[in-house]
Amino acid sequence: GAVVSQHPSRVICKSGTSVKIECRSLDFQATTMFWYRQFPKQSLMLMATSNEGSKATYEQGVEKDKFLINHASLTLSTLTVTSAHPEDSSFYICSANLRGDGNQPQHFGDGTRLSIL
Amino acid sequence: AQSVTQPDIHITVSEGASLELRCNYSYGATPYLFWYVQSPGQGLQLLLKYFSGDTLVQGIKGFEAEFKRSQSSFNLRKPSVHWSDAAEYFCAAARNTDKLIFGTGTRLQVFP
């Protein structure tokens, strides 16, 4: 089945550091990838939709200069949290759709736990 | 506004008992509907999905869900719960398979 790999699984860093999270589709091409944020004991909130070769589409209230998204290939999207602060601490999850198949659901990575000290 | 509601935040059942997790949606038209399961610190695994057709959908791990248009519901069921089913369950809806809207989740606890 479709596999999405997310790396790293956990990051602990100092305030002010920029952190990059990778999302890869391992056995399929993903035209579109999605980035979600999940606070403890809460649901997933879509942050942005990442389209290969074009700019990401951000949801309302998500700072595009804070959360930089790059989707340089059909198998890789990256989320960079710039100058991270403690309030950015959260669980970040990516997902991907199988390219060209509008009837396939999203496949999720295992998430990245980001802790900013 | 489009929304997904999971009325039960936390459910506790005994192992072997039956289970039903509730999900209601509010959409302009019938959306695609999904149930995902999340173990602690993990990503989401798709249990089942409904796009169209038969309103009773079979999924993995013995789960099934029934779409009821009249009630705008998509409840998840399992006839006999196993201890390994303890996890967080999310219902989600979308106009297509792109922009998922998630419910707030139901935490399932299973007692031996």
Side-chain angles (χ1 to χ4, degrees), chain A residues 14 31 33 46 74:
Chain A
K14 295 181 179 179
T31 308
M33 291 185 173
L46 179 65
L74 286 171

Side-chain angles (χ1 to χ4, degrees), chain A residues 36 43 46 106, chain B residues 2-6 23-36 46 48-51 67 72-74 90-103:
Chain A
Y36 295 84
S43 188
L46 179 65
Q106 294 178 28
Chain B
Q2 300 162 340
S3 65
V4 175
T5 303
Q6 292 179 248
C23 173
N24 293 94
Y25 64 89
S26 175
Y27 258 77
T30 300
Y32 291 175
L33 295 162
F34 309 85
W35 274 100
Y36 287 89
L46 179 69
L48 47 79
K49 62 184 184 290
Y50 172 77
F51 287 172
F67 168 66
S72 296
S73 69
F74 188 57
F90 291 97
C91 181
R95 284 182 296 111
N96 46 43
T97 56
D98 282 354
K99 189 169 181 176
L100 284 174
I101 295 177
F102 285 87

Side-chain angles (χ1 to χ4, degrees), chain A residues 52-110:
Chain A
E52 185 266 337
S54 64
K55 291 182 178 180
T57 303
Y58 290 82
E59 294 300 302
Q60 192 173 8
V62 178
E63 299 175 61
K64 62 180 180 180
D65 296 329
K66 174 75 170 178
F67 299 100
L68 301 179
I69 291 173
N70 183 278
H71 193 157
S73 76
L74 286 171
T75 60
L76 173 65
S77 176
T78 61
L79 168 68
T80 301
V81 183
T82 61
S83 188
H85 292 282
E87 59 266 28
D88 298 321
S89 298
S90 188
F91 193 57
Y92 293 88
I93 307 177
C94 73
S95 70
N97 268 352
L98 185 65
R99 181 187 186 197
D101 190 338
N103 287 323
Q104 287 296 319
Q106 294 178 28
H107 300 277
F108 285 82
D110 283 338

Side-chain angles (χ1 to χ4, degrees), chain B residues 14-107:
Chain B
S14 298
E15 191 170 18
S18 63
L19 172 71
E20 181 168 28
L21 303 182
R22 295 184 291 167
C23 173
N24 293 94
Y25 64 89
S26 175
Y27 258 77
T30 300
Y32 291 175
L33 295 162
F34 309 85
W35 274 100
Y36 287 89
V37 60
Q38 183 182 35
S39 296
Q42 301 287 317
L44 275 69
Q45 181 181 22
L46 179 69
L47 289 175
L48 47 79
K49 62 184 184 290
Y50 172 77
F51 287 172
S52 64
D54 194 345
T55 56
L56 185 62
V57 180
Q58 300 298 320
I60 63 172
K61 303 184 178 185
F63 285 93
E64 66 177 26
E66 185 171 12
F67 168 66
K68 293 186 177 180
R69 184 189 306 273
S70 61
Q71 299 177 19
S72 296
S73 69
F74 188 57
N75 294 349
L76 182 71
R77 300 194 294 250
K78 186 169 185 177
S80 178
V81 171
H82 188 263
W83 64 266
S84 60
D85 293 324
E88 188 88 20
Y89 290 81
F90 291 97
C91 181
R95 284 182 296 111
N96 46 43
T97 56
D98 282 354
K99 189 169 181 176
L100 284 174
I101 295 177
F102 285 87
T104 50
T106 298
R107 180 166 298 279

